[in-house]
Amino acid sequence: MSTASSDTATDPAVPDGPKERSLGPLRLPLPDGVRPYLAPLLLYGVTKLVGLGVFAWLLEWADEYQKKNPRFGGGAHWWDVLATWDGWWYLQVAEKGYDPRPLEPLAPGGLFTVKQNSVAFFPLYPGLIRGVSEITGLGLYGSGILVSVVASFVAAAGIYAVVAMLAGVRAGTIAAGLWAVVPGAGVEWALYSESVFVAIASWCCYCVMKRRWVAAGLLAFVAGLNRPTSAALIGAVGLAAIVTLARRESRREHGVSGPLYAMFAAPLGLLTYVTWVGLGMGDLTAYFTLQREGWAHYFDFGSYTLDVLANTAVGRHDYLFAFSVPDLLGVQLVLALPFLIALMLRRKPPLVLVAYTLASVITVLGTQQMFGNTGRYLLPVFPLLLAPAAAMSRLKWPSLTVFFGTAAIASGWYAHYVIFELGIP
């Protein structure tokens, strides 16, 4: 297994990188640093637009969303659905800020034992929504969609950059397109924080691979203000830094101060927010208590995942948070994970990608949460796209066009409609 310090792949974003052009004869007057990203971003954007269009058609055809609560998958227009569920909470934070009061017990006998509070949702994404709204004059909804869409393109570019370093420009382009159609991709252009997080995580891993330790540490710090699952990224950056410091050759080549900075700066964002919540609520463990007692989300070493798999295998749905269609798709994804991980490891990616992927997968499968959202929870694990993208890079564009066309249409159902209307995203 290679590490970040031993990575010698060519940077696709610099003039002396690979000369392959995925757009064939098309030449546009763009700076050399921008041109390589045109094809992956074009593929990503077109694919996402098709999926979103199918989603809108399904919503109108089913004619159910207008009958639902605007907070829970409903609204006056189809696009209102993109701001429901977690999106409602993010808009509340963007509009009103936080109120970290002590945990409020609920009446016994229910699933939740404490009242839900918006501090469960990290501040970076709603802060960006509020900031964009103040600058542009857009409403909070429009600002949230704008942040998500722009961040999704930044994420697609980051995925391209990472995969292109390891498997070539063509594979990087395909990986960006695949991220548009993976299960759970429906939240990429919705009021959810996944696009912002993947934008940060992909470029953070890229910086570690390029030994840009200060940038990697700063990005990991910012990621800690976006999602609690940033712990996987923070740990991966720290591990890569430790391995670099432990080897005499890499210390001599890259120095000591950069890896040390990344290692110590990376966790500060996450620790700062969780500590702030704890102090405001009068208990340093309040954030985790709120997640467990207010949302029934907690690490249970995979007990809930095994329960869902066992029940689904025999056609039962008497487990917590049961949603038949999303859960069945989640089971298929879980069964595919060992294969995807093995294929990724076979390509010997840098240590930071391996650590980030394995830690993320363990976190997802080891936590009790909405099982039907497995695709969304695994959306940030972009290194799993490395092997499929590399294999598909051997296909010619006519075949790839058929694949992405079919996947884009289908994603309007499995990546959008299923999670928003047949489950709880």
Side-chain angles (χ1 to χ4, degrees), residues 115-127:
K115 185 177 180 180
Q116 295 178 337
N117 189 296
S118 62
V119 295
F121 296 85
F122 274 49
L124 179 61
Y125 181 58

Side-chain angles (χ1 to χ4, degrees), residues 105-282:
L106 296 175
L111 174 62
F112 306 124
T113 59
V114 300
K115 185 177 180 180
Q116 295 178 337
N117 189 296
S118 62
V119 295
F121 296 85
F122 274 49
L124 179 61
Y125 181 58
L128 289 173
I129 294 175
R130 182 62 178 264
V132 170
S133 179
E134 294 288 343
I135 293 171
T136 63
L138 288 172
L140 293 177
Y141 172 88
S143 297
I145 294 296
L146 179 60
V147 169
S148 292
V149 171
V150 172
S152 74
F153 280 97
V154 176
I159 292 170
Y160 161 80
V162 170
V163 175
M165 283 183 66
L166 303 174
V169 170
R170 191 179 181 87
T173 300
I174 292 170
L178 288 175
W179 194 62
V181 298
V182 293
V187 300
E188 292 171 10
W189 287 7
L191 280 165
Y192 277 68
S193 65
E194 272 76 6
S195 288
V196 172
F197 180 73
V198 178
I200 298 169
S202 58
W203 284 108
C204 180
C205 291
Y206 176 83
C207 288
V208 172
M209 293 163 64
K210 299 297 294 182
R211 284 85 68 186
R212 298 170 185 168
W213 292 106
V214 173
L218 285 173
L219 287 170
F221 167 83
V222 174
L225 297 173
N226 190 64
R227 296 176 63 82
T229 52
S230 61
L233 178 66
I234 293 167
V237 172
L239 181 60
I242 291 172
V243 170
T244 299
L245 292 172
R247 294 178 174 177
R248 181 181 303 175
E249 298 81 5
S250 58
R251 284 201 311 271
R252 187 180 298 116
E253 181 182 357
H254 309 300
V256 173
S257 59
L260 277 177
Y261 172 84
M263 184 168 54
F264 286 104
L268 292 181
L270 177 62
L271 293 176
T272 298
Y273 181 70
V274 171
T275 301
W276 177 81
V277 171
L279 292 174
M281 303 188 89

Side-chain angles (χ1 to χ4, degrees), residues 4 30 55 99 131 135 144 154 157 164 166 177 183 194 234 277 303-304 323 369 401 405:
L30 296 172
F55 175 49
D99 183 17
I135 293 171
V154 176
L166 303 174
E194 272 76 6
I234 293 167
V277 171
S303 176
Y304 174 71
F323 296 94
Q369 48 198 351
T401 300

